């Protein structure tokens, strides 16, 4: 019973406007004090959570995104994307989506995508006469590919919390990421034809394609390097993060030659700021999860859910609804840390593959970045484009359709997520 009181206290404090960290920490510390447990327990549980090898990848990937922006790599990715797909119906809107896929192969973060290449994309679309709200909707909806396609910060955090193989989770995101991009591009093409949006006057020649691909080639090779390294077993997900940093710094200094000491310092400070916020939540959420375990909340919910139905498809439907609601109010990191330990056991007990469940959780929460009242991605693009949130939401409506279809396919066609991990393991 005390475990559910802690959960309700957390929800209540959050609704009242308390910061997420305090909303989690205050009920947990009160639980420790009321039950006459040593305060040293708080330090032990939080430090134990941060003493995690996979978590090292989180600040490292954040640093990669910051360095890419400081080194100007984003503009080369955008230029190549413009040449490659600018002729498709929708023109720069398709460039926006394709560019996000390429950027995702190095950053692993939706907000890093929006803050980096998203700024370039929105400005370019506005200059070509696209509606600013539409440009914002395309940018935010395509940015959620970042945390799905490897590398992925949310998948790393999920694997750390639940004990699921981070390597399999990252490999499991390849097909869902490509599926999501395909759906968004089809919707964009349909909208472009209806609204008569501009596009490139002709397809590029081979020479033009090679000309613009060459400057972007080192960035384009990064996903190949990472995925190939994982499949070959050359390095772990955490080591991938370190390899990516070394690779990004190398191409920034020796190939692009645009990274300055000032830019490197700014990237470092941005990383410290973002990492501190994430890891602080991770630390207090670990104490929260420990309390729930002690109070046997996951076991209680497992029995309750299995009493409703033992059909995994029905349970997945219920979990989708829960996660979509949670994503409206919590940021993805907090939601993963709080919700994942609770729902993992019932679903796995019902026969759901752990890797499949991880992708389902993360994709749901990424949609949460696009739904109010939290909608962090929407707030960021609205600020960049200088448009009202309600206008962005209006333009977002058609894009919820391909995202919803992708979610249903991931939910009820598990091999989309599990095929590549099983292939890599030889199963």
């Amino acid at each position: 019973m005390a475990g559910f009181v802690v959960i309700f206290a957390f929800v209540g404090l959050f609704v009242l406007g308390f910061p997420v960290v305090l909303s989690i920490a205050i009920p947990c510390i009160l639980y420790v004090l009321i039950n006459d447990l040593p305060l040293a327990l708080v330090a032990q549980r939080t430090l134990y959570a941060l003493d995690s090898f996979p978590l090292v990848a989180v600040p490292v990937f954040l640093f990669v995104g910051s360095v890419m922006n400081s080194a100007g790599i984003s503009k080369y990715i955008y230029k190549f994307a413009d040449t490659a797909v600018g002729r498709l119906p929708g023109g720069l809107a398709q460039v926006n989506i394709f560019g996000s896929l390429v950027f995702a192969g190095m950053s692993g973060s939706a907000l890093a995508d929006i803050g980096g290449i998203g700024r370039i994309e929105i400005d370019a679309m506005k200059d070509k006469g696209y509606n600013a709200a539409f440009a914002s909707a395309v940018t935010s909806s395509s940015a959620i590919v970042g945390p799905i396609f490897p590398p992925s910060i949310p998948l790393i955090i999920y694997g750390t919390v639940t004990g699921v193989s981070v390597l399999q989770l990252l490999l499991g995101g390849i097909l869902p990421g490509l599926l999501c991009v395909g759906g968004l591009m089809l919707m964009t093409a349909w909208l472009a034809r209806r609204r008569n949006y501009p596009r490139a006057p002709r397809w590029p020649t081979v020479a033009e394609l090679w000309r613009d691909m060459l400057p972007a080639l080192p960035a384009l090779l990064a996903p190949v390097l990472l995925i190939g390294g994982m499949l070959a077993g050359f390095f772990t997900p955490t080591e991938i993060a370190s390899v990516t940093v070394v690779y990004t710094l190398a191409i920034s200094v020796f190939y692009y030659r645009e990274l300055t000491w000032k830019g490197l310092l700014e990237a470092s400070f941005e990383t410290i700021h973002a990492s501190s916020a994430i890891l602080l939540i991770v630390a207090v959420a670990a104490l929260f999860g420990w309390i729930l375990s002690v109070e046997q909340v996951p076991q209680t919910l497992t029995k309750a859910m299995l009493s409703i139905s033992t059909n995994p498809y029905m349970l997945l439907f219920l979990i989708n609804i829960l996660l979509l609601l949670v994503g409206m109010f919590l940021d993805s990191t907090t939601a993963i840390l709080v919700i994942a330990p609770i729902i993992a056991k019932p679903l796995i007990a019902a026969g759901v593959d752990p890797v499949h469940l991880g992708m389902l959780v993360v994709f749901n929460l990424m949609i949460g970045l696009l739904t109010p009242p939290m909608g962090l991605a929407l707030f960021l693009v609205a600020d960049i484009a200088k448009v009202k949130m309600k206008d962005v939401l209006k333009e977002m409506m058609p894009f919820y359709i391909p995202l919803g279809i992708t979610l249903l396919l991931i939910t009820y066609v598990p091999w989309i997520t599990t095929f590549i991990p099983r292939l890599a393991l030889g199963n």
Side-chain angles (χ1 to χ4, degrees), residues 165-220:
S165 168
V166 174
L167 176 59
Q168 291 188 48
L169 286 168
L170 292 177
L171 293 175
I174 296 174
L175 290 181
L178 295 175
L179 181 64
C180 183
V181 166
L184 291 172
M185 294 184 88
L186 286 174
M187 176 55 70
T188 299
W190 182 73
L191 289 172
R193 290 186 182 281
R194 288 194 63 191
R195 301 178 182 182
N196 198 29
Y197 283 135
R199 58 175 173 167
R202 60 177 176 81
W203 287 105
T205 64
V206 174
E208 290 170 336
L209 193 63
W210 175 251
R211 178 199 65 200
D212 290 334
M213 185 177 73
L214 192 60
L217 190 59
L220 296 173

Side-chain angles (χ1 to χ4, degrees), residues 141-398:
S141 58
S142 63
I144 71 169
V145 175
I148 301 166
F149 196 82
S152 164
I153 292 174
L155 285 175
I156 291 171
I157 294 175
Y158 180 89
T160 304
V161 172
T162 60
V164 179
S165 168
V166 174
L167 176 59
Q168 291 188 48
L169 286 168
L170 292 177
L171 293 175
I174 296 174
L175 290 181
L178 295 175
L179 181 64
C180 183
V181 166
L184 291 172
M185 294 184 88
L186 286 174
M187 176 55 70
T188 299
W190 182 73
L191 289 172
R193 290 186 182 281
R194 288 194 63 191
R195 301 178 182 182
N196 198 29
Y197 283 135
R199 58 175 173 167
R202 60 177 176 81
W203 287 105
T205 64
V206 174
E208 290 170 336
L209 193 63
W210 175 251
R211 178 199 65 200
D212 290 334
M213 185 177 73
L214 192 60
L217 190 59
L220 296 173
L221 289 176
V224 178
L225 172 69
L226 300 181
I227 295 171
M230 285 192 292
L231 289 172
F234 290 146
F235 28 69
T236 67
T238 304
E239 291 166 346
I240 287 172
S242 302
V243 169
T244 307
V245 165
V246 173
Y247 181 78
T248 304
L249 288 173
I251 63 176
S252 299
V253 173
F254 298 110
Y255 188 86
Y256 294 106
R257 299 182 179 181
E258 294 185 27
L259 182 63
T260 63
W261 283 109
K262 181 181 178 182
L264 186 61
L265 190 63
E266 289 176 352
S268 300
F269 278 118
E270 286 179 9
T271 304
I272 292 171
H273 183 268
S275 301
S276 300
I278 292 175
L279 295 178
L280 184 59
I281 296 173
V282 170
V284 295
L287 179 62
F288 183 81
W290 178 82
I291 291 172
L292 297 186
S293 297
V294 169
E295 295 294 330
Q296 296 190 329
V297 171
Q299 292 88 331
T300 303
L301 290 177
T302 298
K303 292 178 181 177
M305 292 184 68
L306 294 179
S307 68
I308 297 173
S309 175
T310 56
N311 186 323
Y313 294 108
M314 177 57 69
L315 292 176
L316 287 172
F317 175 75
L318 296 175
I319 290 300
N320 274 336
I321 295 175
L322 171 65
L323 290 171
L324 288 172
L325 291 173
V326 167
M328 292 181 180
F329 299 96
L330 293 180
D331 66 275
S332 58
T333 301
T334 304
I336 290 171
L337 292 167
V338 174
I339 302 297
I342 298 175
I343 66 172
K345 288 185 178 180
L347 272 295
I348 293 173
V352 178
D353 184 274
V355 176
H356 175 212
L357 179 60
M359 181 54 57
L360 194 67
V361 170
V362 170
F363 193 82
N364 267 292
L365 296 176
M366 290 309 102
I367 293 178
L369 290 174
L370 306 174
T371 53
M374 283 289 283
L376 295 178
L378 297 180
F379 281 108
L380 184 55
V381 294
D383 180 65
I384 292 172
K386 307 302 179 188
V387 294
K388 295 179 180 179
M389 174 69 76
K390 66 177 183 179
D391 295 331
V392 179
L393 271 175
K394 181 180 178 181
E395 293 290 347
M396 266 299 305
M397 291 303 168

